[in-house]
Amino acid sequence: MPRAGCPRSRGRLAAWRTQQCAAEELTSLFAPDTFDFVGARNCIDHSRDALLAMQQMLEVVKPGCSVLLHHAICEADRQGFQGMHQWNFYAQDGDFWISRLTSDGKQVATNVNESLRAQATITTRTFGDEWMHNVITKLPANHVQRA
């Protein structure tokens, strides 16, 4: 669930109202450029469409602000693509990649850096072979990304 900052009141976290929706449907609840920060911890690999979820998160974050993804590396492989783990997240040649199995058992991979190149920059950092952080920073609307 996207949250705009972490408001504090008298040293305690202030409450805010949350709304439930699929990550792939964020723009049905939130206007574009709403949040200063959007984060997801080990959950987008459970989604129907991980790339669409990331695109939706990027849509609701303000230009110049970031989406932070903290996920286990290749969790779907370790879990045999069973249960909730439907997507692998991994780094290859410095880029952020995702992959899934198709209904006929073939693994299909997507380079997220390439897919989001026109809208964002991505910094990927791995922590051993277990975890990764991906910081996806939304470009200003007038920015022209060069190849």
Side-chain angles (χ1 to χ4, degrees):
M1 170 66 52
R3 293 188 278 208
C6 219
R8 292 193 179 268
S9 174
R10 296 190 188 125
R12 295 179 302 201
L13 286 177
W16 59 77
R17 192 179 73 176
T18 60
Q19 294 176 292
Q20 182 177 345
C21 80
E24 298 92 341
E25 301 168 2
L26 287 173
T27 56
S28 70
L29 288 179
F30 305 104
D33 306 333
T34 297
F35 297 101
D36 295 317
F37 171 81
V38 176
R41 182 179 168 92
N42 207 35
C43 58
I44 302 302
D45 61 323
H46 305 173
S47 65
R48 289 184 320 270
D49 186 333
L51 184 60
L52 178 58
M54 289 179 234
Q55 290 168 328
Q56 287 282 294
M57 295 169 81
L58 195 56
E59 183 70 21
V60 299
V61 77
K62 294 175 183 175
C65 294
S66 298
V67 172
L68 172 63
L69 304 178
H70 177 85
H71 285 77
I73 296 171
C74 291
E75 186 74 2
D77 277 344
R78 286 198 294 274
Q79 299 295 325
F81 288 90
Q82 299 297 312
M84 296 189 308
H85 298 101
Q86 299 301 307
W87 293 88
N88 281 319
F89 285 42
Y90 58 97
Q92 183 175 313
D93 299 325
D95 282 353
F96 173 31
W97 287 78
I98 57 175
S99 66
R100 65 176 176 83
L101 286 183
T102 62
S103 58
D104 60 357
K106 295 179 182 172
Q107 197 161 155
V108 176
T110 301
N111 182 325
V112 179
N113 289 66
E114 290 299 321
S115 296
L116 299 180
R117 182 170 306 285
Q119 299 104 337
T121 60
I122 301 176
T123 303
T124 297
R125 182 173 176 203
T126 58
F127 300 89
D129 59 356
E130 300 269 330
W131 293 96
M132 70 185 313
H133 282 170
N134 295 288
V135 179
I136 306 172
T137 303
K138 187 173 186 176
L139 296 171
N142 61 355
H143 183 82
V144 176
Q145 185 76 305
R146 304 217 191 294

